[in-house]
Amino acid sequence: MGIPSTPHPIHGLVVIQPLKHQRCSACRRGPLSLLVLESGAPRCLNCADLGHLVLLPRGDTALTRRSREESALSAVVVRFNRRKGRYERQGVLVEEAALVRAEERCLADAEARRRRRARDARRRGVEDERFAAAFAAEILRLFPGCPAERARAIAAHASVRGSGRVGRSAAGRALSEGAVISAVVAGVRHVDTPYDQLLMSGVSRYEARRRIAPAVEGVLREWQGAGEEDVG
Ligand SMILES: [Zn+2]
């Protein structure tokens, strides 16, 4: 026949994509793109009562599994790989209505996943806002003289999700004083001092920080002591 014997590891109905031209041994139609071996003789799908099935190519595991679940009659489509000396799955034949139902189930899943992702994103957004608000409040508690707008900006910057910035660290999460002060120092450095210009002009980070240290100290002292006059 020139058709290798049917593959052992594949159970259930097996339909073969022949490598050579084959004719149906019952109705003589041919060449056949798909056939079933009955007692070693090729049969077309119509003669094998599988003509009403549709081919779902391999690739979508969930859709394949569900299509077979939904289909009263289904078959695995295989083709012989000469180089590897074995049959390989090409897809499945299933009832069209079953494929439609399976596609609907997969789409419903995708829609459910999309909605869950949107819910998660909204919840994270709310959490982020609450965290940034708490962070800003803590900044203002430690630095009452810090303008509220600056406190909000520093907190928002430090709270950006996935940024690895101080607000996102474990210490920042717990709103430790050290973490809040670090965020404020970073904010002051970039906004109230020529730190960035120094870095851009090639000054080393260490030297730049040394040069701006008095300016940073000054701003922090001013913000810490709002409403309190230094008594000499
Ligand atoms: Zn036939």
Side-chain angles (χ1 to χ4, degrees):
M1 294 304 319
I3 303 172
S5 60
T6 40
H8 293 297
I10 296 171
H11 302 286
L13 285 173
V14 176
V15 169
I16 295 170
Q17 270 183 6
L19 301 176
K20 296 180 194 161
H21 284 188
Q22 302 281 342
R23 286 185 174 280
C24 175
S25 59
C27 71
R28 310 307 302 165
R29 202 167 60 82
L32 301 174
S33 57
L34 293 172
L35 61 84
V36 175
L37 281 182
E38 285 183 359
S39 308
R43 289 259 175 141
C44 74
L45 295 189
N46 285 334
C47 290
D49 291 334
L50 300 175
H52 61 300
L53 302 181
V54 294
L55 176 66
L56 170 61
R58 65 193 292 268
D60 188 330
T61 316
L63 185 59
T64 296
R65 181 172 47 75
R66 287 176 167 173
S67 295
R68 298 188 74 187
E69 281 169 13
E70 296 280 351
S71 202
L73 188 62
S74 67
V76 177
V77 178
V78 298
R79 186 171 58 202
F80 193 72
N81 183 323
R82 282 205 185 94
R83 194 168 47 77
K84 294 180 181 167
R86 63 161 190 257
Y87 279 98
E88 290 177 334
R89 287 167 182 265
Q90 305 300 312
V92 290
L93 287 172
V94 291
E95 292 157 358
E96 187 161 17
L99 179 55
V100 168
R101 284 193 298 273
E103 279 171 337
E104 281 166 0
R105 282 169 65 189
C106 287
L107 280 175
D109 271 9
E111 174 65 10
R113 278 195 301 276
R114 193 191 63 72
R115 286 187 190 171
R116 189 166 59 237
R117 275 197 302 274
R119 271 199 310 278
D120 288 349
R122 271 197 303 278
R123 196 189 58 237
R124 277 197 303 273
V126 170
E127 282 172 2
D128 284 359
E129 274 172 33
R130 281 199 195 123
F131 178 70
F135 204 106
E138 189 62 7
I139 291 173
L140 289 174
R141 189 180 71 79
L142 296 172
F143 301 96
C146 174
E149 194 50 47
R150 288 293 305 279
R152 272 197 294 276
I154 292 168
H157 183 79
S159 306
V160 175
R161 192 170 282 274
S163 67
R165 291 180 188 133
V166 63
R168 282 284 156 196
S169 67
R173 267 289 175 204
L175 288 179
S176 74
E177 275 193 23
V180 173
I181 291 169
S182 293
V184 171
V185 167
V188 168
R189 210 178 264 149
H190 291 289
V191 175
D192 302 284
T193 77
Y195 183 59
D196 293 346
Q197 293 95 301
L198 288 172
L199 293 183
M200 289 299 285
S201 66
V203 176
S204 78
R205 205 160 52 89
Y206 176 82
E207 172 61 15
R209 287 191 178 196
R210 197 190 60 78
R211 284 195 212 169
I212 61 161
V216 171
E217 277 300 310
V219 173
L220 294 187
R221 216 174 303 120
E222 188 189 318
W223 285 1
Q224 271 167 338
E228 299 170 22
E229 289 301 317
D230 271 357
V231 181

